Amino acid sequence: MDRPQPTFQVDGAAIRTRRMQLGLSQAQCARAARISRSYLTEIEAGLKEHMRPPTYAGLRTALQIQPDDPLLLAPPEEQHRKESDGRQEGAFRPRPEPD
C-alpha cells in the first residue's frame, strides 16, 4: 500500500501568479485556504517551500486548482536537485575563496 506524501514542495512564484490571475489579495487567498497571511507571504517569497497535504489541499482549493494539476508544485528537476544536494534551505554554505 502506498503511503501518502508527507509534504509537497511548492513553487511560490506559481502560487503568487495564480493568486493574482484570480484577482485575490494575499489576505483573501489566505482566508480561503485557512492559512495565515504571513505564511502565504513566506510561501510566495520562497522562504518556505514545503506544505503538508491538508494545507496544500486548502491552498489548491482556494486557487481553483484540480487535485491532479501540478501547477503549484516545484518543477521535478528542482525537487530532485534539492533532495540530492543534501543541504537544507537556509543552511550555512561557505563561499569560495577569491583567487
Side-chain angles (χ1 to χ4, degrees), residues 9-19 21-22 56 59-60 63-76 79:
Q9 187 172 354
V10 295
D11 181 347
I15 291 168
R16 180 176 46 254
T17 298
R18 179 63 180 163
R19 176 182 59 77
Q21 287 173 342
L22 294 173
Y56 176 70
L59 182 62
R60 199 182 59 235
L63 295 175
Q64 302 171 15
I65 302 295
Q66 295 300 314
D68 60 344
D69 188 335
L71 178 70
L72 305 180
L73 298 176
Q79 289 181 23

Side-chain angles (χ1 to χ4, degrees), residues 45-83:
L47 299 174
K48 297 208 184 265
E49 297 178 331
H50 292 87
M51 299 181 88
R52 290 194 171 114
T55 307
Y56 176 70
L59 182 62
R60 199 182 59 235
T61 299
L63 295 175
Q64 302 171 15
I65 302 295
Q66 295 300 314
D68 60 344
D69 188 335
L71 178 70
L72 305 180
L73 298 176
E77 63 274 0
E78 186 174 320
Q79 289 181 23
H80 178 70
R81 182 184 56 78
K82 288 186 179 188
E83 289 169 3

